[in-house]
Amino acid sequence: MDEAPQNANRYQAGLAVRRSVLGDPHVDRAEAVATDFDQPFQQLITEAAWGTVWARPGFTKRERSIVTLALLAALGHDDEVAMHVRATVNTGASRDDICEAFLHVAIYAGVPAANRAFKIAKEVFSDMDGGKAGHVR
């Protein structure tokens, strides 16, 4: 069986999901700076993360967003935490959802990881709210 059509379909499905979650500007920037060196990586994450996992029917985008944030926070992937906090405007995950996810991180992955995630989320919320450092929920 030829993998090329299946991979092309998975890539196109992944690109659509990636755009719906992260937004066209983010994906366009990532594609614009891709080089011959990292293009295979861009293809891999589009097909595997977005076209296989995020495209599955078992979880909603909101649920996947919450799980993703908890995992990224637990692993200390700060840039990805910020990116996925921003993406919640497209996934339907609320600020309360993010808080609950990070509380789980505190218990199951450690207070320092959750503390860092809360700090990052507050900075992102402030940016999203036009620099207002008030109530973030």
Side-chain angles (χ1 to χ4, degrees):
M1 181 173 154
D2 189 3
E3 290 282 325
Q6 183 178 1
N7 288 350
N9 291 340
R10 189 175 301 126
Y11 181 84
Q12 290 305 316
L15 192 57
V17 173
R18 188 177 182 192
R19 287 184 177 282
S20 75
V21 171
L22 300 178
D24 289 331
H26 175 87
V27 177
D28 290 344
R29 279 191 305 274
E31 288 184 341
V33 299
T35 65
D36 290 343
F37 175 71
D38 68 340
Q39 183 56 43
F41 175 70
Q42 291 296 317
Q43 183 173 346
L44 173 70
I45 61 174
T46 301
E47 289 176 6
W50 301 104
T52 300
V53 175
W54 274 81
R56 290 179 55 80
F59 277 179
T60 65
K61 284 181 185 171
R62 175 184 164 268
E63 292 165 330
R64 288 193 194 285
S65 187
I66 295 165
V67 169
T68 300
L69 280 164
L71 289 167
L72 292 171
L75 294 169
H77 297 301
D78 296 355
D79 291 340
E80 296 281 324
V81 169
M83 178 180 71
H84 279 275
V85 167
R86 283 188 295 276
T88 60
V89 300
N90 299 323
T91 65
S94 69
R95 293 178 184 196
D96 287 336
D97 292 332
I98 296 168
C99 177
E100 292 298 327
F102 292 166
L103 291 173
H104 269 68
V105 170
I107 298 304
Y108 292 100
V111 170
N115 187 46
R116 182 77 182 135
F118 274 107
K119 179 181 179 191
I120 292 165
K122 286 170 52 175
E123 290 170 358
V124 171
F125 294 152
S126 178
D127 288 345
M128 291 170 65
D129 296 341
K132 298 179 187 103
H135 187 65
V136 295
R137 288 183 141 197

